[in-house]
Amino acid sequence: MHYGFRIVEDLCDGLSNWMDEKGFATVADVVGRSLHRRVGFHQFDLSFRAVARIDQEKCIRCNLCYVACNDTAHQCIDLIAKDGHVVQPYSYDVRANGKEEAVTSRPSVHVREEDCVGCRLCYNVCPVEECIHMVEEPSGRPSVTWASSPRLSAKLLRIGRR
């Protein structure tokens, strides 16, 4: 998203470093090693819940998480001014440059966890290591899969026939 085709070189370097660290000589040595962990879609726990948590101490106020969530996801990240009120984008001085100036002048980003679906878009666009964590939360519902629910299984079968 942010790096264009350069990301391919980074991915290759990252894979090479990971393989060296784990003792794999070739990609063929890795292929298929996780197949025993694979499950079908019908076995996914539909009650699973994860939410994004933003470390305000590490946040540089770049607002990439806000933009990603607001434009392409569930719009559950708010910009919060120092007085605690939600502010609209660009209602503050966007010329703030550098972390210190941005942190003191821009609003902070806060996740409304009750609305977060755990899609990880904010996590994926954040340029700061370990600033956003995806945290598993109890859903308060019993575990349910497509296969374990007769109603959901029937719906899945209807979808599959289309």
Side-chain angles (χ1 to χ4, degrees):
M1 269 171 93
H2 295 286
Y3 307 106
F5 291 112
R6 291 186 318 233
I7 192 82
V8 175
E9 293 171 357
D10 292 344
L11 289 170
C12 291
D13 289 344
L15 177 60
S16 180
N17 292 338
W18 179 84
M19 288 174 58
D20 291 345
E21 182 182 304
K22 300 294 182 183
F24 294 111
T26 67
V27 172
D29 295 339
V30 179
V31 172
R33 302 236 350 171
S34 287
L35 284 176
H36 67 279
R37 294 186 183 105
R38 185 179 104 25
V39 297
F41 176 76
H42 65 283
Q43 293 174 298
F44 288 166
D45 183 356
L46 300 175
S47 67
F48 177 82
R49 177 162 163 69
V51 296
R53 296 237 171 98
I54 300 171
D55 184 336
Q56 297 299 326
E57 295 297 315
K58 292 182 179 178
C59 181
I60 61 172
R61 309 294 192 267
C62 66
N63 296 341
L64 289 174
C65 60
Y66 171 80
V67 171
C69 187
N70 196 51
D71 290 354
T72 61
H74 287 82
Q75 299 156 353
C76 66
I77 296 180
D78 293 322
L79 299 172
I80 306 293
K82 290 189 187 315
D83 64 5
H85 289 90
V86 174
V87 296
Q88 295 304 309
Y90 305 112
S91 62
Y92 52 90
D93 185 4
V94 295
R95 295 172 294 169
N97 193 8
K99 181 182 178 191
E100 187 174 330
E101 188 177 345
V103 168
T104 58
S105 67
R106 291 185 181 181
S108 57
V109 287
H110 293 269
V111 177
R112 285 188 324 278
E113 291 187 9
E114 64 276 8
D115 296 327
C116 181
V117 297
C119 71
R120 297 176 58 104
L121 281 174
C122 58
Y123 175 88
N124 291 333
V125 301
C126 183
V128 180
E129 265 319 294
E130 298 186 23
C131 180
I132 300 178
H133 296 275
M134 299 308 297
V135 179
E136 187 175 340
E137 286 282 311
S139 68
R141 299 179 304 207
S143 179
V144 63
T145 65
W146 285 93
S148 69
S149 167
R151 184 177 63 84
L152 293 175
S153 290
K155 184 175 183 177
L156 186 61
L157 286 173
R158 284 193 305 276
I159 293 169
R161 289 187 195 131
R162 291 182 187 168

